[in-house]
């Protein structure tokens, strides 16, 4: 099933003219075996760099078995620093003069912003990353990196609604249903201005990248009406709020929906009738990375077919590696979080850069919402 889905996604995503919201998430528990890769292509050449690699990422985005396998094969120690938003990441990278960190996870729209700013990302030396050829072309040449100079697609997905029919008082078919007064104090939502203001705009017939200030003002008024229904706003472990019964419905990242379904198959997934957002979290290398060659060795390792399958099946995002499809476990292949209707994927939107002033307006709306 997963192999067929990947081929379908390739046809759909390669034709997308619009672009999608970046998502971060937490790693899924998995019983899959430790990642393994042929030593001939995974081990880096001696570079003269110290055996260290500094990674700046969402929490839980690199499975422990994958980390251990890389260190065992290369001797390179992985050092992790975490952030909760792309904006936080950008601020810290700028403060470090694009140094301190080596590999950085960056969502699609932020890659576009960083490239406009310039001097923050290093071009990927593909001679050191021969496994780049394993990537599915459907996830390449996107608006944020049209020449594929700076990014390796790592975590593609579409945020979805999930609810517990045993506790949710209403049937949910789309974003608009989240405003139902029957859901008071029952929702868990992604803490993201562009995503949640975006779905509010979708209920109004607009899109994630609205630039008309009068429309944004209307979206603000409507968003404020949602606040009584919201119990939890966060980016991490949203699935736990549903599984514990603390909330009966939620709008969350692909990985979190998939984890919730693994734990409770009776949950219902909703592919919102108003349309989807779609996003790709990417691996990049900082412009002044202290260990760039180690970074390229790590990227090459992650693109090994079995390693890539192990990663995707644990972080629970779509797998952008064509050569990895045959190694994906059955439970991953059969999870409904990865079965979004093809016609919806064809119309899905990326969150794009709307400029500094408008981005600030989205943030202002979101701040007022959270403070209400």
């Amino acid at each position: 099933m997963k192999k067929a889905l990947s081929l379908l996604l390739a046809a759909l995503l390669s034709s997308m003219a619009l672009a999608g919201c970046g998502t971060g998430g937490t790693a899924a528990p998995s019983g899959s075996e430790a990642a393994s890769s042929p030593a001939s292509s995974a081990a880096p050449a001696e570079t003269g760099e110290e055996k260290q690699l500094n990674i700046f990422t969402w929490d839980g985005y690199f499975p422990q078995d994958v980390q251990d396998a890389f260190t065992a094969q290369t001797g390179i120690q992985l050092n992790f620093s975490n952030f909760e938003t792309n904006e936080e990441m950008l601020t810290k990278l700028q403060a470090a003069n694009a140094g301190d960190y080596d590999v950085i996870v960056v969502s699609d729209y932020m890659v576009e912003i960083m490239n406009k700013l310039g001097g923050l990302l290093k071009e990927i030396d593909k001679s050191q990353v021969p496994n780049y050829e394993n990537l599915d072309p459907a996830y390449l040449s996107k608006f944020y990196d049209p020449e594929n100079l700076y990014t390796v697609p790592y975590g593609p997905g579409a945020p979805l609604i999930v609810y517990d029919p045993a506790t949710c008082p209403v049937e949910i078919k789309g974003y608009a249903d989240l405003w139902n007064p029957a859901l008071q104090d029952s929702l868990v939502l992604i803490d993201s201005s562009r995503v949640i203001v975006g779905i509010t705009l979708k209920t109004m017939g607009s899109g994630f990248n609205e630039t008309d200030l009068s429309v944004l003002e209307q979206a603000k008024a409507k968003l404020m009406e949602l606040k009584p229904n919201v119990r939890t706003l966060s980016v991490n472990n949203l699935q736990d709020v549903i599984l514990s019964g603390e909330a009966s419905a939620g709008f969350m990242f692909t990985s979190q929906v998939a984890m919730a379904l693994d734990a409770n198959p009776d949950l219902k997934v909703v592919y919102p009738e108003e349309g989807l957002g779609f996003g790709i979290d990417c691996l990049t290398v900082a412009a002044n990375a202290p260990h760039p060659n180690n970074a390229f060795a790590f990227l090459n390792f992650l693109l090994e077919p079995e390693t890539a399958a192990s990663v995707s099946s644990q972080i629970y995002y779509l797998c952008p590696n064509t050569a990895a499809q045959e190694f994906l476990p059955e439970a991953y292949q059969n999870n409904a979080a990865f079965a979004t209707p093809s016609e919806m994927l064809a119309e899905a939107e990326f969150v794009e850069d709307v400029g500094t002033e408008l981005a600030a307006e989205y943030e202002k709306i979101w701040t007022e919402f959270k403070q209400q």
Side-chain angles (χ1 to χ4, degrees):
M1 173 181 168
K2 178 61 184 175
K3 193 176 293 185
L5 176 60
S6 176
L7 293 174
L8 175 61
L9 281 169
L12 292 168
L13 291 173
S14 61
S15 65
M16 284 185 183
L18 300 174
C21 45
T23 55
T26 55
S30 173
S32 57
E33 298 178 359
S36 61
S37 307
S40 60
S41 57
E46 288 300 323
T47 64
E49 294 176 356
E50 60 178 344
K51 297 289 188 177
Q52 300 287 326
L53 187 66
N54 302 329
I55 301 173
F56 201 23
T57 177
W58 306 97
D59 181 40
Y61 227 22
F62 293 87
Q64 187 63 53
D65 58 349
V66 173
Q67 298 178 41
D68 293 343
F70 177 72
T71 298
Q73 289 192 20
T74 66
I76 297 172
Q77 179 66 43
L78 303 179
N79 308 311
F80 287 87
S81 299
N82 296 327
F83 55 82
E84 290 200 353
T85 68
N86 282 283
E87 290 71 24
E88 175 191 349
M89 175 276 298
L90 175 61
T91 297
K92 290 185 177 180
L93 183 63
Q94 288 176 314
N97 191 31
D100 292 355
Y101 312 106
D102 297 302
V103 173
I104 308 172
V105 176
V106 186
S107 296
D108 40 38
Y109 77 96
M110 184 56 70
V111 174
E112 182 185 26
I113 291 171
M114 293 167 75
N115 282 333
K116 287 179 180 178
L117 291 170
L120 294 173
L121 298 178
K122 180 184 291 294
E123 288 192 22
I124 294 173
D125 181 356
K126 295 189 180 68
S127 69
Q128 296 191 60
V129 190
N131 287 324
Y132 195 93
E133 66 182 15
N134 290 338
L135 286 166
D136 188 332
Y139 298 95
L140 300 174
S141 305
K142 298 303 179 188
F143 72 99
Y144 53 86
D145 189 15
E147 297 181 18
N148 303 312
L149 298 177
Y150 302 102
T151 59
V152 170
Y154 185 71
L160 298 169
I161 297 171
V162 64
Y163 71 98
D164 188 343
T167 60
C168 187
V170 296
E171 181 182 6
I172 299 176
K173 296 182 178 180
Y175 304 126
D177 293 320
L178 302 180
W179 272 257
N180 192 313
L183 294 175
Q184 183 174 352
D185 198 32
S186 296
L187 292 181
V188 56
L189 297 177
I190 299 167
D191 186 352
S192 168
S193 60
R194 292 298 304 275
V195 175
I196 304 303
V197 176
I199 68 170
T200 305
L201 288 161
K202 294 292 280 186
T203 68
M204 299 164 51
S206 182
F208 286 92
N209 302 298
E210 179 60 62
T211 59
D212 187 321
L213 289 174
S214 65
V215 176
L216 287 175
E217 190 64 26
Q218 295 172 42
K220 173 183 173 182
K222 180 163 187 177
L223 179 60
M224 297 305 169
E225 296 172 0
L226 182 64
K227 189 61 180 287
N229 289 2
V230 178
R231 182 170 185 83
T232 302
L233 282 173
S234 185
V235 293
N236 295 321
N237 302 313
L238 301 185
Q239 74 283 354
D240 291 343
V241 187
I242 298 287
L243 294 171
S244 69
E246 184 179 346
S248 62
F251 177 66
M252 59 189 71
F253 300 118
T254 304
S255 60
Q256 296 162 345
V257 173
M259 285 186 275
L261 289 170
D262 265 2
N264 182 359
D266 293 330
L267 296 177
K268 300 295 184 183
V269 175
V270 178
Y271 312 112
E273 56 191 6
E274 299 93 341
L276 294 172
F278 191 86
I280 303 176
D281 282 345
C282 302
L283 303 178
T284 67
V285 178
N288 297 318
H291 315 100
N293 296 315
N294 292 349
F296 296 139
F298 187 55
L299 297 184
N300 195 56
F301 172 79
L302 292 174
L303 291 174
E304 285 286 346
E306 290 182 68
T307 304
S310 180
V311 167
S312 292
S313 66
Q314 293 186 72
I315 69 171
Y316 269 10
Y317 279 91
L318 295 170
C319 182
N321 189 310
T322 300
Q325 302 302 314
E326 63 182 294
F327 300 106
L328 292 167
E330 184 176 355
Y332 173 93
Q333 297 179 37
N334 294 331
N335 194 297
F338 309 119
T340 305
S342 59
E343 64 274 13
M344 297 194 73
L345 283 173
E347 298 296 329
E349 289 184 84
F350 281 75
V351 166
E352 298 186 44
D353 179 23
V354 292
T356 303
E357 292 186 9
L358 280 168
E361 187 64 29
Y362 277 86
E363 289 299 324
K364 179 181 176 182
I365 292 171
W366 189 237
T367 298
E368 290 185 30
F369 173 73
K370 294 202 292 184
Q371 292 177 346
Q372 181 180 346

